[in-house]
Amino acid sequence: MSNHMPITGACAWNGGEMRHSGRWLRDLAPAHLAEIDAALADVERRGLAWHGITRTDFPLPGMAALLDDMREELENGSGMLKLRGLPVHRYSEEQLRKLYFGLGSNLGTPVSQNRSGEMMRAIRDEGGDLGSRYGQIEAERTESGKPFLSSYARTLSNGALRFHTDRTDVVALLCVRQAAKGGVSMICSSVAVMNEMLRRRPDLAEELYRPIHRSRLGEESNSAESIYALPVFDQLDGRFTSHYSLTYIEAAQMVPGVPKLTSAQKEAIAMLADLAHELAFEMTFAPGDIQFLNSHVTYHARTPFEDDRTSGRDRLLLRLWLAMPNSRALPEGQEVLWRRIEAGALRGGILRADQAA
């Protein structure tokens, strides 16, 4: 038996219904694009760097109703959106960074994505020795005999990414270019996953409401030995949150002294992964699309991809992490990940190395 009850509402959806729904789609109108262009022209005239742009620097009063609607859908609706229609071919990459950061600053507050303090990350296949650059556990400590790559290193490869959440209220991905093959985004409702686990195996659902150890290797630390414990599922006053990345859990299991997962925990994690695939749907990206996901109520994954640089089909996404002004309050104990748990708090992201010291 479980002590928890299913959560109903717009956040609990399955992929089948979303494939036939347009509730998660929004479009930029010509008037919106004209306003974005005007704001971009002004910040360029003033010589502002993209990372210095604030909401005040990039006024979008004509988009206020659309942005309010987007915030509402992300927090109190399905938890996901695709905003279509940005003509990316008209802009240089630097101009895209400026208008994207300006747009993101109107929706929420951008937060740092790694210990270097990066506020926007180019997501592409960087190739080479990703582990040495972005974190790995050496081969002699792994069962496979190969280095274990951090989650951050895997993100910057062309390999598949398993279902996971990011350490932010909302993660936004602007598609600049798509790969020649693959790179399909898969999304599921983490609320639906939890509900279905409660229906089928309430005993396993309860295991995920208990703390499980994770490593901060990669984005948060150079060392796998930096450990914290947090439930995969949690809720407060009927509002759900889930933080999940199997890579962080696996990395923690390689650290001496960390309790080994029980058979029940392993079974629960495996069931979560299976249900995520079962309940997911594919969201295809075209250049100019921006995907927004509420990390508290969705998981996302990616299929492998192949680039063809000679034809200009080499995948490039620009990623923002946004703290949202209408975010939910989080349960006590979530401070270990979010630092602040009150509703609407400036939270999430990863402190720069000099801030964390």
Side-chain angles (χ1 to χ4, degrees), residues 28-44:
L28 289 167
H32 299 148
L33 294 174
E35 191 169 59
I36 289 170
D37 281 343
L40 175 62
D42 186 56
V43 298
E44 293 206 300

Side-chain angles (χ1 to χ4, degrees), residues 147-187:
F148 177 90
L149 295 182
S150 70
S151 176
Y152 198 34
R154 296 175 194 218
T155 299
L156 300 174
S157 74
N158 66 346
L161 296 180
R162 298 177 290 191
F163 280 100
H164 65 282
T165 60
D166 286 7
R167 189 178 168 175
T168 181
D169 289 326
V170 167
V171 54
L173 289 167
L174 165 62
C175 180
V176 181
R177 294 187 301 274
Q178 191 50 283
K181 182 180 179 181
V184 176
S185 179
M186 296 182 293
I187 306 163

Side-chain angles (χ1 to χ4, degrees), residues 187-199:
I187 306 163
C188 73
S189 163
S190 53
V191 181
V193 169
M194 184 274 295
N195 285 347
E196 190 62 17
M197 192 176 292
L198 277 175
R199 188 181 73 82

Side-chain angles (χ1 to χ4, degrees), residues 46-287:
R46 296 164 60 195
L48 297 180
W50 66 262
H51 48 79
I53 293 171
T54 66
R55 181 175 183 173
T56 303
D57 296 320
F58 209 91
L60 299 173
M63 290 186 62
L66 173 61
L67 293 169
D68 285 344
D69 173 56
M70 290 170 62
R71 280 188 285 266
E72 177 66 17
E73 183 66 29
L74 286 166
E75 179 58 26
N76 299 311
S78 63
M80 67 172 183
L81 279 172
K82 183 164 73 173
L83 181 64
R84 302 180 295 190
L86 186 67
V88 292
H89 62 279
R90 290 187 355 205
Y91 309 100
S92 68
E93 186 172 325
E94 186 63 18
Q95 289 175 318
L96 281 175
R97 286 177 177 269
K98 290 176 181 179
L99 72 83
Y100 184 39
F101 201 77
L103 178 60
S105 296
N106 275 267
L107 185 67
T109 301
V111 295
S112 172
Q113 300 182 35
N114 55 38
R115 298 174 75 246
S116 299
E118 283 188 289
M119 302 297 287
M120 185 185 303
R121 211 348 156 163
I123 306 296
R124 55 176 25 127
D125 177 18
E126 294 194 4
D129 190 359
L130 293 169
S132 64
R133 282 181 279 156
Y134 300 118
Q136 66 182 11
I137 297 174
E138 298 301 328
E140 60 268 18
R141 292 170 57 185
T142 68
E143 292 183 1
S144 68
K146 298 179 181 179
F148 177 90
L149 295 182
S150 70
S151 176
Y152 198 34
R154 296 175 194 218
T155 299
L156 300 174
S157 74
N158 66 346
L161 296 180
R162 298 177 290 191
F163 280 100
H164 65 282
T165 60
D166 286 7
R167 189 178 168 175
T168 181
D169 289 326
V170 167
V171 54
L173 289 167
L174 165 62
C175 180
V176 181
R177 294 187 301 274
Q178 191 50 283
K181 182 180 179 181
V184 176
S185 179
M186 296 182 293
I187 306 163
C188 73
S189 163
S190 53
V191 181
V193 169
M194 184 274 295
N195 285 347
E196 190 62 17
M197 192 176 292
L198 277 175
R199 188 181 73 82
R200 300 185 193 182
R201 289 291 304 273
D203 58 318
L204 296 184
E206 200 62 32
E207 291 291 333
L208 297 184
Y209 273 102
R210 301 186 180 108
I212 291 178
H213 289 83
R214 302 100 181 283
S215 168
R216 298 184 187 270
L217 174 68
E219 292 167 328
E220 303 176 58
S221 174
N222 290 329
S223 170
E225 278 69 18
S226 180
I227 301 294
Y228 65 99
L230 193 71
V232 173
F233 297 157
D234 213 345
Q235 57 178 283
L236 176 67
D237 298 329
R239 305 284 281 174
F240 188 70
T241 185
S242 180
H243 178 66
Y244 172 70
S245 171
L246 184 55
T247 302
Y248 289 128
I249 295 172
E250 291 172 335
Q253 288 293 293
M254 300 179 197
V255 175
V258 171
K260 296 302 180 184
L261 293 173
T262 66
S263 57
Q265 287 174 322
K266 291 179 181 178
E267 190 176 2
I269 291 169
M271 186 174 188
L272 181 154
D274 289 343
L275 286 172
H277 280 280
E278 180 181 326
L279 298 173
F281 86 115
E282 295 182 349
M283 182 188 290
T284 56
F285 272 176

